[in-house]
Amino acid sequence: MAFITAPDGTSLYYKDWGSGRPVVFLHGWPLDADMWEYQMVPVAEAGFRTIAYDRRGFGRSDQPWQGYDYDTFADDLKAVLDELDLTDVTLVGFSMGGGEVVRYLSRHGSARISQAVLISSVTPMMLKTPDHPDGVDASVFEEIIDGLKMDRPSFLAKFNKGFFGAGVFSSPASSEMIAWAGQVAMLASPKATTACVRAFSETDFRPDMAKVTVPCLIIHGDADQTVPIDVTARMAAAAVPSAEFEIYDGAPHAIPLTHHERLATDLIDFLRR
């Protein structure tokens, strides 16, 4: 297996498929790089180099006790780009991974970056505050943390139903896919799992959005129960007026898994511009 060492010594597992202009995928909470299977394969087959790594604390990467904040995540991403000496990169961030995309651009600039894609992203801000009254109440995130601490497997099994938009009689994903997501989530350290809830819920990316000056594609489902579109993608599109904003009608949060064929097509179309 291949690893890159972050500035604080944390080992980050990565996969690197195909050849051509590089596309770097940032996974969502609480999964790992394997969630990109249905995008990495077709994008690589379309003539691009696809790279995805497990965030610190998740998957096959090290599980340090510290570093679960977006400045560190952005520095980890920089370590990956620097070690592999990637240029003309398209960054693709899903859910909390979207925060890594915009924080990287804000913190390290766009010299290596040519495009950005935000999918079901938590940007520009999730938490309800006096100057962000339409956000999600803090109690929602406290309940998530409490549920994880009480019984992580049970909580994740229930959480995944909303993540995938599974109803009583129908679901856009198979029961096997939903079960697999739970298994992947359990590979993460409990510390990382809870610390990242605070990171993606409390971090204010509004100042970072002005640094998104490369061509940007924003994709979000209007039935997303996990990261509501009105307080994230719609505001992100307003903050980056040059961005393309595509709404997937009726789509839940887990677009890379529930709508993988459409997403792969949209990504390849964007990459070829």
Side-chain angles (χ1 to χ4, degrees):
M1 296 202 299
F3 292 88
I4 287 171
T5 302
D8 66 352
T10 299
S11 291
L12 304 172
Y13 165 82
Y14 74 99
K15 55 183 70 181
D16 188 346
W17 300 344
S19 60
R21 190 161 65 81
V23 184
V24 176
F25 293 86
L26 291 306
H27 68 81
W29 178 96
L31 302 175
D32 63 24
D34 290 350
M35 65 155 284
W36 291 113
E37 173 180 347
Y38 300 102
Q39 286 72 52
M40 290 183 69
V41 171
V43 171
E45 290 174 343
F48 297 90
R49 180 182 178 186
T50 60
I51 299 157
Y53 65 94
D54 293 347
R55 185 179 294 108
R56 60 173 56 221
F58 294 82
R60 292 136 294 198
S61 291
D62 281 352
Q63 299 186 358
W65 191 249
Q66 69 289 326
Y68 300 107
D69 61 90
Y70 273 94
D71 284 351
T72 302
F73 296 151
D75 293 349
D76 288 350
L77 173 54
K78 183 178 186 297
V80 172
L81 301 182
D82 288 351
E83 177 65 24
L84 300 178
D85 194 21
L86 303 178
T87 58
D88 198 16
V89 176
T90 298
L91 295 177
V92 181
F94 167 70
S95 194
M96 77 168 290
E100 279 156 301
V101 171
V102 300
R103 180 56 56 88
Y104 174 88
L105 291 170
S106 175
R107 188 170 172 84
H108 297 295
S110 59
R112 291 186 179 273
I113 313 304
S114 60
Q115 294 176 310
V117 183
L118 306 176
I119 303 166
S120 306
S121 175
V122 298
T123 52
M125 189 175 182
M126 286 277 285
L127 188 66
K128 180 179 181 179
T129 61
D131 68 342
H132 186 51
D134 296 324
V136 180
D137 195 86
S139 63
V140 173
F141 303 110
E142 292 303 325
E143 289 174 2
I144 292 173
I145 291 171
D146 289 344
L148 289 165
K149 289 180 176 179
M150 180 64 67
D151 187 337
R152 189 158 61 116
S154 176
F155 174 83
L156 290 170
K158 295 172 184 175
F159 173 84
N160 277 340
K161 293 180 181 179
F163 188 85
F164 283 95
V168 176
F169 300 108
S170 64
S171 172
S174 67
S175 59
E176 292 83 1
M177 178 75 78
I178 296 173
W180 167 82
Q183 293 168 357
V184 171
M186 286 302 297
L187 295 174
S189 81
K191 169 68 173 179
T193 304
T194 55
C196 283
V197 174
R198 297 206 183 279
F200 71 68
S201 66
E202 297 176 2
T203 302
D204 183 355
F205 298 102
R206 290 175 294 180
D208 301 274
M209 302 307 290
K211 300 295 185 178
V212 184
T213 56
V214 297
C216 180
L217 174 63
I218 298 171
I219 297 174
H220 215 103
D222 63 6
D224 191 331
Q225 302 173 38
T226 306
V227 178
I229 188 173
D230 287 341
V231 299
T232 54
R234 294 192 194 279
M235 291 186 175
V240 187
S242 61
E244 296 181 46
F245 182 24
E246 186 168 354
I247 298 172
Y248 284 20
D249 293 338
H253 187 60
I255 284 174
L257 298 170
T258 61
H259 291 65
H260 55 81
E261 291 182 348
R262 177 179 177 183
L263 179 59
T265 298
D266 287 343
L267 285 176
I268 292 167
D269 287 346
F270 184 66
L271 290 166
R272 285 176 170 166
R273 295 178 193 174

